[in-house]
Amino acid sequence: MKIFATVKRVPDPETSIKVKPDGSGIVTDNIKWVVNPFDEIAVEESLRIREKVAGSEVVLVSVGSKVVQEQLRTGLAMGADRAILVVSDDNLEPLAVARVLAKIVETEKPDLVIMGKQAIDDDSNAVGQMLAELLGWPQATFASKLELADDQKSATVMREVDGGLETLSFPLPAIVTADLRLNEPRYASLPGIMKARKKELKEIPVADLGVDVAPTVKLVKMDPPPKRQAGKKVESVDQLVNLLHTEAKVI
């Protein structure tokens, strides 16, 4: 069984993000970059499947500039077998990323694609669904539990919905997007880090794929959120209720 796990490079959640003075984007100097946490969960789930299904292969796939090699090496150190980086210096939109991934999937023919449900930088939550539509494959999003059938020809996903849990069954190949509660990712061991240096990391220029990645949306301006106003101390519940009613106007 061949399993694809996608990896996106995002700013560390602990990093302080600042907007450029001209509003053209964020300041990237001195930012620490990491694997998107939901993608890290997808990598972990792929590795767990490989541990259960003998002869399986876990392939990492990413789209971005050459610096994304660092995040792919992190996934390789966790235990993935090899990686593919589609090199693009432009910040591609979700549909363009889905088109690129679809082209790679058509060539590599994986049995299962597992990806994070969303990236923590843009929160778009769209690539997995778009990829499934482009490929004509079944999809299960926001997976909190994933089980393969004994013959590895179908899978079952449990996902959280308003008011309870939903269980989906579908044939493979398919797309699954990982939710936070799917698993707890492992740390890369020192031997894993050393082995990762020798594992295959193939680079493919995005232009070689013949995919339309032209942007359809233009970023006009980016503004930081307004500064939070100082709080107020109150002497009683009655005073609090009065302020919520007269000043905050939330009741």
Side-chain angles (χ1 to χ4, degrees):
M1 171 174 252
K2 183 186 290 187
I3 310 152
F4 265 21
T6 61
V7 172
K8 184 179 181 182
R9 180 177 185 255
V10 298
D12 189 316
E14 302 299 323
T15 298
S16 177
I17 302 296
K18 297 180 180 180
V19 175
K20 293 179 180 178
D22 62 359
S24 61
I26 65 169
V27 178
T28 57
D29 296 340
N30 301 318
I31 283 184
K32 179 183 177 183
W33 299 89
V34 297
V35 176
N36 178 48
F38 290 105
D39 288 343
E40 199 171 21
I41 293 170
V43 173
E44 173 64 28
E45 193 66 20
S46 301
L47 296 174
R48 294 187 183 192
I49 292 174
R50 189 190 60 187
E51 291 166 357
K52 295 176 183 177
V53 182
S56 295
E57 179 187 31
V58 174
V59 184
L60 307 180
V61 187
S62 189
V63 183
S65 61
K66 287 180 177 289
V67 294
V68 182
Q69 288 185 15
E70 179 183 352
Q71 283 66 49
L72 287 172
R73 291 292 180 194
T74 298
L76 292 172
M78 289 174 65
D81 299 291
R82 59 187 175 93
I84 300 171
L85 172 59
V86 179
V87 181
S88 172
D89 291 327
D90 297 323
N91 186 21
L92 302 186
E93 295 173 1
L95 181 56
V97 173
R99 286 171 175 162
V100 168
L101 293 176
K103 189 63 100 173
I104 299 298
V105 166
E106 289 169 0
T107 301
E108 289 277 338
K109 296 181 172 29
D111 301 287
L112 180 63
V113 177
I114 308 179
M115 50 206 314
K117 69 171 185 177
Q118 65 195 82
I120 63 169
D121 53 357
D122 57 21
D123 265 350
S124 60
N125 177 26
V127 175
Q129 293 90 325
M130 289 176 171
L131 179 59
E133 174 64 22
L134 291 172
L135 294 172
W137 285 11
Q139 61 175 300
T141 59
F142 296 77
S144 57
K145 186 177 181 181
L146 170 62
E147 292 183 348
L148 296 183
D150 293 339
D151 59 3
Q152 287 89 55
K153 292 183 179 180
S154 62
T156 301
V157 157
M158 183 177 293
R159 59 196 302 271
E160 296 180 10
V161 296
D162 292 341
L165 299 172
E166 181 179 54
T167 301
L168 304 175
S169 297
F170 47 89
L172 299 181
I175 310 293
V176 173
T177 69
D179 203 352
L180 187 64
R181 280 167 283 280
L182 182 58
N183 60 53
E184 182 72 28
R186 70 192 69 185
Y187 289 102
S189 63
L190 182 58
I193 294 171
M194 300 301 292
K195 291 177 182 178
R197 298 176 181 176
K198 299 180 181 179
K199 291 181 179 180
E200 179 186 352
L201 199 166
K202 182 179 180 181
E203 293 186 2
I204 304 173
V206 68
D208 290 358
L209 298 178
V211 175
D212 180 13
V213 295
T216 58
V217 176
K218 181 180 179 181
L219 174 63
V220 178
K221 187 180 180 183
M222 185 178 292
D223 290 313
K227 290 185 178 180
R228 186 176 297 176
Q229 296 180 352
K232 238 182 217 186
K233 288 185 178 181
V234 297
E235 301 297 331
S236 66
V237 173
D238 290 340
Q239 186 182 358
L240 172 61
V241 172
N242 181 59
L243 289 173
L244 290 175
H245 180 70
T246 59
E247 291 191 13
K249 299 187 185 301
V250 295
I251 60 173

